[in-house]
Amino acid sequence: MTALPGTTLEAYLDWDREMRQLAPTSGANEGDWFSPTLVELHPTADAGAATYKNTKEKLIEWADNDEATDRLLIDNVERLSLDFLVGIEAVNDTASLGEVRAIVLRLEGSNAHVAAEDGSTDPTEQLFTEIHRGPAIFVTHQELKEHRNFSLRSSGDSSTPRTIATIGVIDDGIPYLNREFVGSDRKSRISAVWLQSFETLKTTSANNSVFNGQIFENSEIEQYLNRDERSVYREVGDNIYKLTDVKSSTHAVSHGAHVMSIACGRSHGIEPGSEDQIFAVQLPPESVLDTSGKRLDFTILQGVRWIALRTLLAAVGTPGSILAPLVINVSFGMGAGPKDGTGFLEEALREEVRRYQLWTDKMIPGVRPSPMRVVLPYGNAFRDNLVATQELQTGGSVELDWRIQPDDRTASYLEIRAEASAHPKLFLTPPGHETAIAFDLSSPKTIEEYCRDGTTLARVYRVADDLGGRATFLVALRPTHFSEYQAVPAPAGNWKLKVSTSGRSLVSIQVQRDDTPFNFRPNGRQSYLDAQRAHGFDPELRNYSLPMPGCAISRKGTHSATVSQKSRPGLAPTIEPGDRGIYAVGGTYARHIDDNCLPMSRYSASGSEHPDWSNSPAPTLSAPCEESHGLPGMLASGVVSGSTAILGGTSVAAPQVARRLLTQLKNGSTLASLEAEADSLLPSGKQCRTEPERRGRGLTEPAGTNRR
């Protein structure tokens, strides 16, 4: 048994490092592994008033110091954000910014401060507090452009009030040259697109800033419009991605093209020449393929922060009194997590919403109080057997089969939670073993391993107990197949799992898994849970896949871990209404089968209101994601102009809500609550009362989508 300081996130990072040691070093250039890290800045005293200006200057000075080159880096997007922060202080002379966060790159394994070669110490301990670290990325040493500076305008302009509405899309395979996003004036409606890449580059110029991928401004997109789209996508993809990376924009269909078409394409209701701004972020292939979802956390957060920043920059650069509503659609999610409002990405998104609304309300000259909303899919795991829950009495146990599939090229993860006071114990029986292996992790922050012939095939982590006194375990397995290099795989087959407690407890078990987007190899079949009583007759599918009464496998609580909505009372800080600008969207069929409601899709996830686990009762809204039972998916654009594609999932439902929501927010009216705002999106106030844990407050009818 060994010690591990920290959280579930750090357990994922530990296994990520273990798997990375098996693979060849990423990139051919010289470089180091750095962890993207979310930090909270500490204001410093300046002339008797708290200010972030000195903090920012000292942080940049340290990052640009040659002695710190291998310990702390700040990329160009975050430098721009920090410049913006200082600009706000310069104009307003105030410190009412609330909590200020930044994302920096810290050398993997570094602590709060690290001694330099000359004996000096890293002063960043006094400049910020670390909140979370993400999986390390390989930073290579090459030349890059400097970041762009900007200045805040004065607040003396008295032009007519205007609205600058922005819709943001964060996805894979962004079709930034598609004519869907060209207005009647033959100008691109996309203000900027950020093509993220984990092949981050460090400058050799005066400062040590780094850049993640490439940003194309509107003027640069315009220059490409007269060229062949396919050749541009190939050329750009070859410049910023590795040869082996999936380059979705070079394919006929991509997840991002379909979602973006529904969210803001011309053929879906937005008139040519619309003044709505579009900012898009293309996620790196590595984060999309990561089954733990922890790379996705940081790249999504970086994208949200960039879109919010660019929206504010556009607002402060426009004369007049500006209303700047912002809606960002992120059609991604992950299966397992605390699901109680304390998950990293969930909390971070709420903070970004709060910060945006605070800044537009009090901090930025010329900008009126403006709302920000983030729209997420509720999940597609209703029938995937990824969740199990069971109430155990004193001395009870739950037994399940964890089916690990052959030809799985990614790590497999299982999250287990139980009351710490019940002293839970784990037992695993790998394929080929007749007796179970006991993992008696009685103390938090400990690890045990399962080894065979000197090779670590699995690790079982007990991380720090959560705020409610729940013990959390993470089981991590190697892939069952290595296709690019020689390594010993984990055995595929039936891994028998048993969880026992000495007291009463709710036990929750979740497989951590992402949906593989279109164009990506599925990386083999992914793991799932099984049990003897998990094969009752399902009248909808007409097969034997329904968990029977008494079976621990559940279809409740199958929603994405990023949409828990509310924290459990007393266990986490109360979420005020202004912090809860997060929409979770379920999926329905688009054709009525009766006069009341659109039926839910077969896969749209279900909520749960169990007081000891998930506090997400249902999605905020539901929208169509399947044309009908006979016609799968919804019609939207492919990657290249004029092409079409048919894709389904709650990822397709979410951008319909995002589109309608932006239209609602542009009128500037303020509703009493987010619940009232959601109700206002329903056609004629229509409510559905059936399947409340899957449907939410109601449903929206197809919003301008192409019909077949």
Side-chain angles (χ1 to χ4, degrees), residues 545-565:
S545 61
L546 179 68
M548 300 167 66
C551 181
I553 295 175
S554 175
R555 291 177 174 176
K556 292 184 178 181
T558 50
H559 58 85
S560 168
T562 58
V563 290
S564 298
Q565 297 183 359

Side-chain angles (χ1 to χ4, degrees), residues 638-682:
V639 174
V640 179
S641 300
S643 64
T644 57
I646 299 171
L647 297 178
T650 54
S651 294
V652 173
Q656 297 178 56
V657 171
R659 188 178 199 130
R660 183 170 291 184
L661 182 58
L662 184 65
T663 302
Q664 172 75 19
L665 297 177
K666 284 164 60 176
N667 63 25
S669 62
T670 302
L671 299 174
S673 66
L674 288 178
E675 288 77 8
E677 182 178 277
D679 284 344
S680 70
L681 302 179
L682 304 178

Side-chain angles (χ1 to χ4, degrees), residues 418-440:
E419 296 298 325
S421 59
H423 306 292
K425 296 182 180 180
L426 272 62
F427 302 87
L428 272 178
T429 307
H433 281 238
E434 296 182 358
T435 59
I437 302 171
F439 295 90
D440 185 7

Side-chain angles (χ1 to χ4, degrees), residues 525-595:
R525 294 170 289 172
Q526 301 293 297
S527 67
Y528 64 94
L529 300 173
D530 200 1
Q532 186 175 2
R533 296 186 60 81
H535 300 281
F537 182 71
D538 187 324
E540 182 178 354
L541 296 187
R542 311 292 294 177
N543 64 14
Y544 291 90
S545 61
L546 179 68
M548 300 167 66
C551 181
I553 295 175
S554 175
R555 291 177 174 176
K556 292 184 178 181
T558 50
H559 58 85
S560 168
T562 58
V563 290
S564 298
Q565 297 183 359
K566 296 181 180 180
S567 299
R568 290 185 287 163
L571 302 183
T574 302
I575 303 172
E576 298 298 330
D579 294 332
R580 291 181 50 224
I582 310 296
Y583 275 71
V585 183
T588 69
Y589 292 99
R591 297 178 188 269
H592 292 270
I593 57 174
D594 54 42
D595 294 332

Side-chain angles (χ1 to χ4, degrees), residues 52-63 86 127:
Y52 289 96
K53 182 177 181 180
N54 288 348
T55 304
K56 176 259 182 180
E57 291 176 349
K58 290 180 180 179
L59 187 61
I60 295 296
E61 180 183 357
W62 178 250
V86 174
L127 300 180

Side-chain angles (χ1 to χ4, degrees), residues 470-493:
R470 291 187 301 178
T472 301
F473 302 86
L474 175 68
V475 184
L477 296 182
R478 284 191 178 203
T480 59
H481 179 79
F482 292 95
S483 58
E484 298 178 2
Y485 47 90
Q486 296 295 321
V488 179

Side-chain angles (χ1 to χ4, degrees), residues 24 64 91 112 138 143 215 250 270 289 294 355 358 372 416 466 510 657 706:
D64 290 344
V91 171
F138 193 72
E143 183 75 19
I215 289 178
T250 64
I270 297 291
L289 282 171
K294 302 310 170 186
R355 183 182 70 159
L358 171 67
M372 172 179 169
I416 303 167
D466 71 8
Q510 304 175 83
V657 171
N706 287 324

